[in-house]
Amino acid sequence: MAEEKTFENKVKKWLKEEGIYFVKIWGGGFQRAGIPDILCCVNGKFVALELKSETGKLSELQKYNLDKIKESGGVALCVRPSDFEDVKLVLNSLR
């Protein structure tokens, strides 16, 4: 869990430095389950990031939500620490 929190902080720091609007989603009883961890807007494009450790697995509900976002024209990514440099390129390509 500490690994995911450290990675989350790294992602949020980079988004702030790049001036990308984002909201960190905190799961709870008043919110629908399976919403990706970070929701962003990059040059008018909706972007959802589900953060996972290198060994973390997506739940079926997380997969469903990422697929629905893609079907709706948004960008939805499962992001692991080893993918982060590639994800930066994807997000920068949307600018």
Side-chain angles (χ1 to χ4, degrees):
M1 188 67 164
E3 178 187 350
E4 276 192 38
K5 187 65 177 170
T6 300
F7 179 51
E8 174 190 310
N9 289 337
K10 181 178 179 178
V11 172
K12 292 189 305 187
K13 180 178 184 283
W14 182 80
L15 291 169
K16 282 179 196 170
E17 289 171 352
E18 293 297 311
I20 295 173
Y21 175 80
F22 72 94
V23 175
K24 166 64 177 115
I25 301 300
W26 303 97
F30 297 104
Q31 180 174 294
R32 199 174 87 204
I35 297 173
D37 295 314
I38 296 178
L39 303 179
C40 311
C41 186
V42 181
N43 196 27
K45 189 76 166 174
F46 182 82
V47 178
L49 306 175
E50 179 61 45
L51 306 180
K52 291 291 181 190
S53 69
E54 291 300 332
T55 58
K57 302 225 184 294
L58 287 172
S59 71
E60 289 304 313
L61 188 53
Q62 289 169 329
K63 289 177 192 175
Y64 172 83
N65 281 307
L66 292 176
D67 287 344
K68 284 299 183 186
I69 291 166
K70 290 175 190 174
E71 288 172 14
S72 298
V75 176
L77 303 167
C78 176
V79 185
R80 299 179 191 286
S82 61
D83 306 321
F84 191 42
E85 292 305 313
D86 291 335
V87 169
K88 288 179 186 179
L89 293 174
V90 170
L91 296 183
N92 281 327
S93 76
L94 297 174
R95 297 181 194 214

